[in-house]
Amino acid sequence: MSDKNIRVFFDLDETLIHTEVHSYDDRCEKIELYDGDYHFRIKPDALDAIRGAMELVGKENVFILTIATRAYAEAILKIAKFGIPMDRVFAREDIANQSVSTGYCATSIVPHKDLCDTRNILIDNRKSGENYEKIAFLDMNMKVSNYMKVRDYFGVDFPGDSFADDVIEFINERV
């Protein structure tokens, strides 16, 4: 069963992957970007969480929402093979395009008109109070109960980590 009206947005860094500039870990993937190498590890059950979300809300309703640049996100996703097409990736540039000056050197983020929905779900490692840009971008201020703060992923795999199960349960409770 899937609810085609609910969209799930996954953060990338420290939620689904962990990236370092220098790594001696042979389990890391590598991308070359911005004249340097980045080494990243995929959270062991990240793909299970994404697949579970796709089963619950439909493949077309699962997105990446990251503060990272589009070039970085696309390079990571080509290797990670999460099954999320690039047109469902929203990055730093997309959020910046929704920013407007409010005067006196202040800016505000206008919600993305095609993504506003109080049923949106955001899975992120940051506390909701520290994640103004993404919440404003999705216009989720009225529905913080759809915000799931997960443990930071710093490339360390904890035996028995229930990330995928917790994400699927969280989404399932809202479908």
Side-chain angles (χ1 to χ4, degrees), residues 16-81:
L16 299 175
I17 65 159
H18 172 69
T19 304
E20 299 174 0
V21 176
H22 302 287
S23 179
Y24 303 100
D25 186 342
D26 60 356
R27 296 172 293 174
C28 286
E29 301 286 347
K30 182 175 96 169
I31 60 171
E32 294 179 25
L33 192 64
Y34 309 121
D35 298 325
D37 292 340
Y38 290 82
H39 304 266
F40 72 96
R41 289 195 62 197
I42 301 168
K43 187 172 184 68
D45 54 352
L47 186 55
D48 292 337
I50 292 169
R51 284 182 182 151
M54 289 177 172
E55 286 178 24
L56 289 168
V57 300
K59 240 180 156 171
E60 69 282 357
N61 290 315
V62 177
F63 300 79
I64 296 290
L65 178 58
T66 181
I67 296 297
T69 65
R70 175 162 299 285
Y72 169 87
E74 288 181 355
I76 296 284
L77 292 172
K78 282 179 187 171
I79 295 171
K81 296 185 182 357

Side-chain angles (χ1 to χ4, degrees), residues 49-172:
I50 292 169
R51 284 182 182 151
M54 289 177 172
E55 286 178 24
L56 289 168
V57 300
K59 240 180 156 171
E60 69 282 357
N61 290 315
V62 177
F63 300 79
I64 296 290
L65 178 58
T66 181
I67 296 297
T69 65
R70 175 162 299 285
Y72 169 87
E74 288 181 355
I76 296 284
L77 292 172
K78 282 179 187 171
I79 295 171
K81 296 185 182 357
F82 288 144
I84 300 174
M86 297 307 171
D87 67 341
R88 282 191 259 127
V89 174
F90 293 94
R92 177 182 300 170
E93 296 88 342
D94 300 300
I95 295 170
N97 287 338
Q98 296 298 119
S99 297
V100 294
S101 174
T102 57
Y104 302 105
C105 299
T107 60
S108 183
I109 295 175
V110 176
H112 190 290
K113 66 181 174 80
D114 296 330
L115 300 177
C116 291
D117 195 318
T118 57
R119 295 168 294 187
N120 286 335
I121 294 172
L122 178 56
I123 314 294
D124 205 301
N125 68 300
R126 294 174 70 193
K127 294 177 185 172
S128 62
E130 299 170 354
N131 219 348
Y132 163 78
E133 297 92 350
K134 291 179 188 173
I135 291 172
F137 184 80
L138 296 175
D139 193 26
M140 288 181 59
N141 291 325
M142 301 302 290
K143 201 74 164 146
V144 254
S145 62
N146 284 359
Y147 189 100
M148 181 180 189
K149 193 252 183 260
V150 297
R151 179 191 340 193
D152 296 321
Y153 179 63
F154 294 123
V156 178
D157 304 336
F158 294 101
D161 187 4
S162 58
F163 172 74
D165 292 337
D166 294 345
V167 166
I168 292 164
E169 180 181 339
F170 185 84
I171 297 167
N172 198 35

